[in-house]
């Protein structure tokens, strides 16, 4: 993204031209910038080779999610709808992490049925619900537990 002769360009296409073709308001993403950011992140963490999960909440555009998947990222989702969107983009279940408060029984059951990588547990009641679903489905569920140690930062 840059300016040329006081006009704003995204990947050498003027936003003026884009606005005439697609009308406004419009969303315009730079694939080159997206790819560079992802590759830079991977390069800086290559020694530990983590699974990098993109927050679907931050941008659920299907084309963007497909490009993110093509670049090897997973998805961090906070609802069944976001999980479905990640699947629609082609993101594999073992690259999906389910986070967020207020997950419903049916959302947790869906996640378990889809064999996603991890469910981040936000409360004791949610943990008990996951345990109940796991027992009914005779499945082992990988979870992450968020702890709030209630420590004064001072």
């Amino acid at each position: 993204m840059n300016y040329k002769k006081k006009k704003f360009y995204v990947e050498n296409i003027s936003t003026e031209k884009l606005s005439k073709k697609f009308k406004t308001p419009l969303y315009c993403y730079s694939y080159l910038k997206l790819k560079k950011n992802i590759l830079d992140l991977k390069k800086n963490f290559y020694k530990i080779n983590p699974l990098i999960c993109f927050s679907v909440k931050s941008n659920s555009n299907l084309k963007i999610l497909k490009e993110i998947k093509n670049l090897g990222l997973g998805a961090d989702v906070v609802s069944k709808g976001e999980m479905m969107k990640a699947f629609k983009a082609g993101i594999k279940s073992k690259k999906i992490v389910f986070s967020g408060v207020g997950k419903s029984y049916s959302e947790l059951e869906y996640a378990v049925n889809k064999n996603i990588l991890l469910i981040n547990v936000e409360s004791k009641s949610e943990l008990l619900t996951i345990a109940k679903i796991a027992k009914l489905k005779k499945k082992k569920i990988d979870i992450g537990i968020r702890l709030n140690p209630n420590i004064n930062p001072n």
Side-chain angles (χ1 to χ4, degrees):
M1 296 180 272
N2 57 30
Y3 284 93
K4 295 179 189 175
K5 298 181 184 178
K6 297 185 180 185
K7 293 189 180 191
F8 188 58
Y9 283 74
V10 176
E11 292 187 15
N12 295 317
I13 302 170
S14 101
T15 54
E16 186 178 317
K17 184 177 180 180
L18 289 170
S19 68
K20 286 179 182 170
K21 182 174 181 179
F22 298 106
K23 306 297 178 215
T24 60
L26 69 97
Y27 289 96
C28 182
Y29 304 99
S30 169
Y31 172 73
L32 296 177
K33 183 65 173 166
L34 175 73
K35 184 177 178 181
K36 181 187 181 318
N37 289 347
I38 290 170
L39 294 178
D40 284 349
L41 192 59
K42 285 180 157 190
K43 183 177 88 176
N44 285 296
F45 288 96
Y46 79 95
K47 285 184 180 180
I48 59 172
N49 192 28
L51 172 61
I52 301 167
C53 292
F54 179 79
S55 169
V56 175
K57 176 174 41 177
S58 71
N59 190 330
S60 61
N61 179 297
L62 191 58
K63 290 190 184 268
I64 297 292
L65 294 176
K66 285 179 180 181
E67 293 302 334
I68 286 166
K69 185 264 310 179
N70 291 339
L71 291 165
L73 270 61
D76 181 83
V77 301
V78 297
S79 68
K80 180 180 176 182
E82 286 184 7
M83 198 179 316
M84 292 170 74
K85 194 93 173 223
F87 286 129
K88 190 171 184 178
I91 298 171
K92 302 287 184 215
S93 62
K94 289 301 178 189
K95 286 192 170 190
I96 296 177
V97 175
F98 192 13
S99 303
V101 297
K103 297 178 205 78
S104 70
Y105 185 95
S106 66
E107 287 178 313
L108 291 167
E109 187 175 44
Y110 182 79
V112 168
N113 287 337
K114 291 295 189 177
N115 298 308
I116 66 166
L117 177 66
L118 182 75
I119 300 172
N120 281 323
V121 177
E122 309 292 333
S123 67
K124 182 180 176 184
S125 63
E126 187 174 283
L127 180 62
L128 294 172
T129 301
I130 293 167
K132 180 180 177 181
I133 294 167
K135 189 174 182 179
L136 287 170
K137 303 282 182 181
K138 296 182 174 129
K139 288 187 172 187
K140 179 182 170 188
I141 312 302
D142 288 323
I143 62 167
I145 298 177
R146 181 174 294 183
L147 296 175
N148 181 357
N150 200 20
I151 294 173
N152 185 335
N154 295 325

